[in-house]
Amino acid sequence: MKFTGTQDYVATDDLTIAVNAAVTLERPLLVKGEPGTGKTELARQVASGLGLRMIEWNIKSTTKAQQGLYEYDAVSRLRDSQLGEERVHDVANYIRKGKLWEAFEAGEKVVLLIDEIDKA
Ligand SMILES: Nc1ncnc2c1ncn2[C@@H]1O[C@H](COP(=O)(O)OP(=O)(O)O)[C@@H](O)[C@H]1O
Ligand SMILES: [Mg+2]
């Protein structure tokens, strides 16, 4: 499993080495740079180049790290309790999985893009 850049994506040697180190070590890679320098596109190219599924988590100024794991939907649960729904007794019915959870749970290797992390 080796990333080399593609026909549509020019990757420098340094970038290729960094990407392959991250893939091999299964560690995150933090990519910094000016807008339009190909950071988002890199994740797409790595995924398509290695034939892996990509999970995309777009960060907004209001995003919290916790949301990557899961969110608890208290409003739905309150509504169900008022309607006397049986499902209200199981908290699992109100856990909304986040992108990190999805990535950890995936049976195969995936590329997780945490995009614009500096906005948080
Ligand atoms: N290394 C590259 N090789 C080919 N095209 C690139 C490269 N870097 C950027 N581009 C082009 O620039 C566009 C913007 O890149 P993008 O990944 O959205 O930038 P960023 O996420 O860093 O702001 C991409 O759609 C792509 O067409
Ligand atoms: Mg981008």
Side-chain angles (χ1 to χ4, degrees):
M1 209 175 249
K2 201 161 191 306
F3 176 72
T4 54
T6 59
Q7 196 117 60
D8 309 318
Y9 193 83
V10 187
T12 60
D13 288 347
D14 285 352
L15 182 61
T16 310
I17 290 168
V19 168
N20 283 313
V23 171
T24 304
L25 299 170
E26 301 192 343
R27 304 303 298 167
L29 179 65
L30 178 65
V31 184
K32 297 196 227 176
E34 296 298 319
T37 50
K39 302 183 296 297
T40 303
E41 190 60 27
L42 174 65
R44 301 211 171 95
Q45 294 292 333
V46 169
S48 78
L50 300 179
L52 303 175
R53 180 159 74 94
M54 186 171 99
I55 296 175
E56 202 166 336
W57 184 20
N58 291 104
I59 305 299
K60 291 178 279 191
S61 58
T62 52
T63 305
K64 299 270 173 287
Q66 158 74 34
Q67 294 169 328
L69 297 173
Y70 67 87
E71 284 184 275
Y72 170 57
D73 188 353
V75 176
S76 291
R77 195 175 197 189
L78 177 63
R79 195 186 53 220
D80 284 351
S81 77
Q82 288 166 338
L83 297 170
E85 299 271 0
E86 198 50 43
R87 65 200 301 272
V88 77
H89 300 294
D90 186 359
V91 70
N93 291 322
Y94 305 95
I95 299 298
R96 308 277 172 256
K97 293 178 189 179
K99 301 289 181 182
L100 282 175
W101 183 328
E102 216 182 291
F104 278 126
E105 201 184 34
E108 75 289 352
K109 219 176 206 184
V110 297
V111 174
L112 172 65
L113 167 63
I114 305 177
D115 211 5
E116 313 216 346
I117 196 167
D118 55 324
K119 277 193 187 163

